[in-house]
């Protein structure tokens, strides 16, 4: 009888040790996409970066083509500077690294003003391919091989030169100075970046 009791206690001890070990292993396993609960986001950085994601022909972060300008003002506040004429307007936010939005009336009813183009200068705005201001023209051409020169400007004060390269089929254009991208513009697909009424280059003369 004592022998049976001893074996039984030994069995219980082994079983308890195994359960304890399994529990410890379970506790130290890091969370992965497979082990995370449904609907849980593992990569929080990816979610944050979406607010500065550039999508050609569609949007720049939270601002998208066709968006009601009243909603833009709710997101960004009123612009620091701008200009308006004939129902079209330019709004400029953050003069150090300008975010520039072109808008005009959505339709002939002339009630709602909508976003027509978005231009960004901050390098924090980037495409899914990693294109942002500061990259070389050479790199741009590897990602957008159908880029074409759309306009050329000379600065009336500094005599500096600026060339605009546009990929109309995708809806994205780039300002280039000294072979480096200084601004990126999101515009409607299959429409020229020069299709807006107002120019964003008040100190630049188009050649």
């Amino acid at each position: 009888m004592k022998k049976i009791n001893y074996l039984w206690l030994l069995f219980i001890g082994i079983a308890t040790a195994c359960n304890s070990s399994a529990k410890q292993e379970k506790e130290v396993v890091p969370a992965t996409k497979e082990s995370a609960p449904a609907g849980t986001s593992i990569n929080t950085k990816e979610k944050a970066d979406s607010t500065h994601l550039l999508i050609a022909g569609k949007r720049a972060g939270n601002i998208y083509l066709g968006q009601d300008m009243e909603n833009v003002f709710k997101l960004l506040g009123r612009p620091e500077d701008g200009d308006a004429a004939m129902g079209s307007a330019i709004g400029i936010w953050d003069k150090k690294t300008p975010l520039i939005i072109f808008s005009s009336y959505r339709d002939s009813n002339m009630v709602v003003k909508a976003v027509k183009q978005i231009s960004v200068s901050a390098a924090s705005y980037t495409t899914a391919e990693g294109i942002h201001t500061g990259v070389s023209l050479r790199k741009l051409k590897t990602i957008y091989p159908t880029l074409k020169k759309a306009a050329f400007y000379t600065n009336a004060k500094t005599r500096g030169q600026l060339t605009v390269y546009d990929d109309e089929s995708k809806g994205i254009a780039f300002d280039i100075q000294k072979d480096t991208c200084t601004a990126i513009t999101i515009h409607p697909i299959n429409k020229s970046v020069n299709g807006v009424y107002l120019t964003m280059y008040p100190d630049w003369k188009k050649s």
Side-chain angles (χ1 to χ4, degrees):
M1 181 65 70
K2 290 182 179 181
K3 185 176 181 180
I4 294 175
N5 288 338
Y6 173 77
L7 292 174
W8 177 249
L9 290 172
L10 181 62
F11 174 78
I12 292 175
I14 293 172
T16 302
C18 290
N19 288 336
S20 177
S21 177
K23 183 179 180 181
Q24 289 177 355
E25 289 181 3
K26 184 177 181 181
E27 288 174 349
V28 299
V29 173
T32 63
K33 291 183 179 180
E34 289 76 15
S35 62
T40 300
S41 176
I42 298 298
N43 191 346
T44 56
K45 184 176 183 296
E46 181 179 343
K47 183 177 181 181
D49 287 347
S50 67
T51 62
H52 288 78
L53 180 65
L54 296 174
I55 302 179
K58 293 184 178 181
R59 65 193 308 139
N62 293 328
I63 310 302
Y64 57 87
L65 300 180
Q67 187 173 15
D68 188 331
M69 283 301 297
E70 290 302 318
N71 291 332
V72 172
F73 297 143
K74 289 178 182 178
L75 288 170
L76 304 177
R78 291 289 168 175
E80 298 177 20
D81 200 355
D83 194 10
M86 302 293 290
S88 297
I90 291 177
I92 303 173
W93 287 261
D94 189 358
K95 290 185 178 180
K96 291 183 179 180
T97 52
L99 165 63
I100 302 174
I101 297 177
F102 303 79
S103 62
S104 63
Y105 286 116
R106 180 175 290 171
D107 51 42
S108 58
N109 292 325
M110 293 191 295
V111 176
V112 177
K113 282 193 174 182
V115 176
K116 299 298 182 180
Q117 285 189 180
I118 313 155
S119 180
V120 299
S121 298
S124 55
Y125 285 92
T126 181
T127 68
E129 298 83 10
I131 295 300
H132 52 80
T133 55
V135 304
S136 66
L137 175 60
R138 181 178 180 180
K139 183 173 182 178
L140 289 175
K141 287 182 175 180
T142 63
I143 304 298
Y144 304 96
T146 58
L147 276 179
K148 293 182 179 179
K149 291 182 180 180
F152 181 80
Y153 296 85
T154 301
N155 192 293
K157 296 178 180 179
T158 66
R159 306 309 299 171
Q161 297 180 333
L162 183 152
T163 305
V164 180
Y165 285 82
D166 191 12
D167 189 331
E168 291 188 20
S169 64
K170 288 186 173 62
I172 192 167
F174 305 91
D175 291 3
I176 303 297
Q177 297 184 60
K178 297 180 180 179
D179 291 323
T180 301
C181 177
T182 57
I184 301 174
T185 300
I186 304 298
H187 64 83
I189 293 172
N190 294 325
K191 289 188 177 181
S192 171
V193 69
N194 295 320
V196 297
Y197 180 76
L198 296 170
T199 176
M200 64 173 287
Y201 308 107
D203 294 329
W204 297 77
K205 182 179 179 181
K206 191 173 182 179
S207 302

